[in-house]
Amino acid sequence: MTAAQTVYEVAIIGAGVSGTALLYSLSNYTNINRIALIEKNPEVALVNSHRTSNSQTLHFGDIETNYTLEKAKKVNKAASLVKNYLLQNDARQEIYSKYHKMVLAIGKEQADQLRNRYAEFKSLFPELRLIDKDQIQSVEPNVLKERETDEEVLALFTEEGYTIDYQKLAQSFLQQALENSNKNIDLMMGTKVKRITREGDLYYIQTARETIAAKVVAVTAGAHSLLFAKSLGYGKDYALLSVAGSFYFAPGVLNGKVYTVQLKKLPFAAIHGDPEVHNQSQTRFGPTAKAIPMLERHHYGTIWSYFKTAGLSLDAFISFFKILSEPVILKYIVKNYIYDIPFIGKRLFIKEVKRIVPSIKLSELKFAKKYGGIRPQIVNLKTKSLELGEAKILGENILFNITPSPGASTCLQNAEDDTERIISFLGEEYRFDKNRFLQDLGMENRQILI
């Protein structure tokens, strides 16, 4: 092995919004001095954090009808960190746009569900309110235009809707790390990690250019994180179900975000529509969801790496068969594959869009080519089941972030949590100024446990 010339206290592998948020926290609020940020692409956030690869939403848990109150409390705290960061660091709204948002109920059953939800959630979200047809008409006229039903129409509504370009957010985190700290930060863009090994108290990260040594490693490389974990003996009982989302475009038929009520028994998000982050004249509908054997969307070279994460074992085959053969999920997955088929796909998908905008025409709907990323869902090979929510593996002086939950909305909360873990890895002489971290993000009133 080539000897490493520099020993970093922390090396971060992966410069998406999670990796750069962690760099922002480590550089500004700890006494860690030498940090390496390693990214295989020439710029930050070109994979799942890119604007075209995700639903560009900041999730608070207010209108996501598959969230329990307990989960919404956690997600709201995490998303508020991002919201406050944006309000303090993005005065010209170059990173985000603010739109209203609602979840739409059609029929008595769904309307009753929203009433019950409102009664339970209104104390957590004081800006949330129930609105009827007349009020819906005033903010989203196309939701009611040509709707041929006598059924009740109701919505949970709030003005607190944030649509985010997460690549620009990652760029902002990087800029804040470099400009506002006096740390030694080495950016290694266009540097692909080939292998991670451990010798003694150090990890050695082998790239095509050099070998880098670090006391602590944070792997924030999405689906690739599990592959790195397995190479070091962690996560052997896990595989990945890579769920790819696609989108359709339409002219600006919505003024804000409109969600539909989550379908029961499905772990995937319900179809919704919202304006593009900086272009209200274009509405994006989706996401669809289909399982594909890749670690990165549109990168066919990651197919073999995907199968390596499962080990091509009998347990993996049985687990995937059990999950995907469940009737509700199987029907959903098959239908979502059809959505991507030219000519046929949008003729089926428009039925979903018409639940939100009944007057939309087939000619107005256009498949968004090269849009959509991958959300890796953990498959437990022992229980042969999906493990929903955050996917993280902790090792000895190393951590692997696979999937945040619910996505990039929790990037700063994950950074806070991982900063604490990294400080504990490094030892007693290292400090994390958590009070200042929270105060700078407008959360000084939050209870802090140290």
Side-chain angles (χ1 to χ4, degrees):
M1 177 181 294
T2 304
Q5 295 180 351
T6 303
V7 175
Y8 295 93
E9 288 153 294
V10 180
I12 303 170
I13 300 173
V17 74
S18 292
T20 52
L22 179 57
L23 178 67
Y24 161 80
S25 177
L26 293 177
S27 62
N28 286 289
Y29 302 100
T30 76
N31 59 340
I32 295 170
N33 186 52
R34 295 202 65 89
I35 307 170
L37 180 65
I38 309 168
E39 168 58 46
K40 67 179 181 179
N41 291 303
E43 299 178 35
V44 301
L46 291 181
V47 188
N48 283 339
S49 300
H50 192 269
R51 178 180 57 83
T52 62
S53 298
N54 56 74
S55 62
Q56 59 183 2
T57 297
L58 183 59
H59 294 280
F60 291 90
D62 44 6
I63 65 168
E64 292 84 359
T65 53
N66 57 326
Y67 288 12
T68 62
L69 180 61
E70 194 60 36
K71 181 174 181 179
K73 288 178 180 178
K74 294 178 181 178
V75 172
N76 183 43
K77 285 182 178 180
S80 294
L81 292 173
V82 177
K83 169 189 168 181
N84 291 345
Y85 177 91
L86 293 171
L87 295 178
Q88 294 172 20
N89 295 282
D90 188 29
R92 293 188 293 176
Q93 293 192 24
E94 295 175 345
I95 302 173
Y96 77 100
S97 291
K98 190 175 180 184
Y99 304 119
H100 62 247
K101 61 182 180 179
M102 68 172 71
V103 55
L104 183 68
I106 306 298
K108 185 178 185 305
E109 181 180 351
Q110 289 189 356
D112 287 345
Q113 184 179 340
L114 289 197
R115 290 189 187 93
N116 293 335
R117 184 176 181 83
Y118 175 68
E120 184 180 11
F121 282 67
K122 63 182 179 180
S123 60
L124 179 60
F125 300 105
E127 301 296 326
L128 194 64
R129 56 193 176 95
L130 281 171
I131 61 174
D132 58 19
K133 275 187 178 181
D134 290 340
Q135 294 164 307
I136 294 172
Q137 175 71 35
S138 68
V139 292
E140 292 290 357
N142 286 323
V143 167
L144 294 178
K145 185 179 179 181
E146 297 183 19
R147 187 173 291 278
E148 297 177 358
T149 178
D150 294 328
E151 292 185 298
E152 184 177 9
V153 180
L154 193 69
L156 273 177
F157 175 89
T158 176
E159 296 283 357
E160 290 294 302
Y162 293 81
T163 299
I164 298 177
D165 184 331
Y166 283 105
Q167 183 186 27
K168 288 186 177 179
L169 179 59
Q171 292 167 346
S172 177
F173 287 148
L174 179 59
Q175 182 180 4
Q176 291 284 337
L178 296 176
E179 293 182 358
N180 297 336
S181 75
N182 57 356
K183 306 300 172 62
N184 295 307
I185 300 172
D186 286 342
L187 301 182
M188 302 176 186
M189 299 291 108
T191 303
K192 186 175 181 179
V193 174
K194 292 185 174 182
R195 189 183 181 195
I196 307 173
T197 57
R198 191 179 188 197
E199 293 182 14
D201 294 331
L202 295 177
Y203 283 96
Y204 290 89
I205 303 166
Q206 183 182 348
T207 74
R209 300 176 183 176
E210 60 182 319
T211 298
I212 300 154
K215 296 178 182 179
V216 173
V217 177
V219 185
T220 59
H224 295 275
S225 295
L226 181 58
L227 198 58
F228 284 122
K230 289 198 168 191
S231 73
L232 290 165
Y234 299 106
K236 291 183 177 180
D237 293 323
Y238 292 139
L240 292 179
L241 178 66
S242 291
V243 180
S246 296
F247 297 91
Y248 277 81
F249 284 138
V253 292
L254 294 175
N255 297 319
K257 298 174 178 289
V258 181
Y259 282 66
T260 52
V261 174
Q262 179 73 23
L263 300 175
K264 295 179 180 179
K265 296 184 179 181
L266 282 177
F268 312 112
I271 299 297
H272 58 271
D274 56 345
E276 279 292 290
V277 59
H278 292 309
N279 183 8
Q280 198 167 11
S281 68
Q282 187 172 55
T283 301
R284 190 198 297 192
F285 288 97
T288 65
K290 62 179 183 179
I292 62 172
M294 296 181 191
L295 296 185
E296 287 183 39
R297 189 76 183 274
H298 313 299
H299 285 249
Y300 295 95
T302 64
I303 291 177
W304 172 239
S305 296
Y306 171 82
F307 283 109
K308 285 169 68 177
T309 64
L312 299 175
S313 65
L314 179 61
D315 281 343
F317 176 80
I318 294 172
S319 298
F320 283 107
F321 180 81
K322 180 181 176 182
I323 293 166
L324 296 176
S325 62
E326 203 283 325
V328 174
I329 292 180
L330 179 62
K331 180 181 177 181
Y332 180 81
I333 292 290
V334 170
K335 186 168 66 172
N336 277 263
Y337 268 103
I338 297 173
Y339 288 152
D340 285 8
I341 297 175
F343 185 77
I344 299 173
K346 75 173 184 177
R347 283 166 170 78
L348 180 62
F349 186 73
I350 198 170
K351 295 179 181 179
E352 299 292 335
V353 177
K354 281 180 175 292
R355 293 171 57 200
I356 301 171
V357 181
S359 61
I360 196 164
K361 296 177 173 58
L362 190 65
S363 59
E364 295 177 310
L365 208 58
K366 181 181 178 182
F367 184 72
K369 293 181 180 179
K370 297 296 183 180
Y371 271 66
I374 281 179
R375 183 178 179 85
Q377 300 282 3
I378 285 287
V379 175
N380 189 314
L381 300 181
K382 281 189 173 181
T383 62
K384 297 177 176 55
S385 61
L386 277 177
E387 291 190 358
L388 302 176
E390 181 188 28
K392 184 190 297 285
I393 298 173
L394 300 179
E396 188 173 352
N397 294 348
I398 192 168
L399 57 88
F400 307 88
N401 285 322
I402 302 167
T403 300
S405 179
S409 302
T410 58
C411 60
L412 283 171
Q413 180 66 67
N414 288 337
E416 177 189 333
D417 296 341
D418 287 343
T419 297
E420 290 188 303
R421 293 184 178 101
I422 288 169
I423 292 298
S424 69
F425 289 159
L426 286 169
E428 294 181 356
E429 67 269 29
Y430 289 89
R431 297 286 183 269
F432 172 34
D433 193 344
K434 186 172 178 178
N435 286 282
R436 187 164 62 87
F437 173 87
L438 293 174
Q439 288 169 0
D440 286 353
L441 295 173
M443 300 291 281
E444 59 271 18
N445 295 323
R446 199 177 87 176
Q447 184 178 1
I448 303 172
L449 303 176
I450 300 178

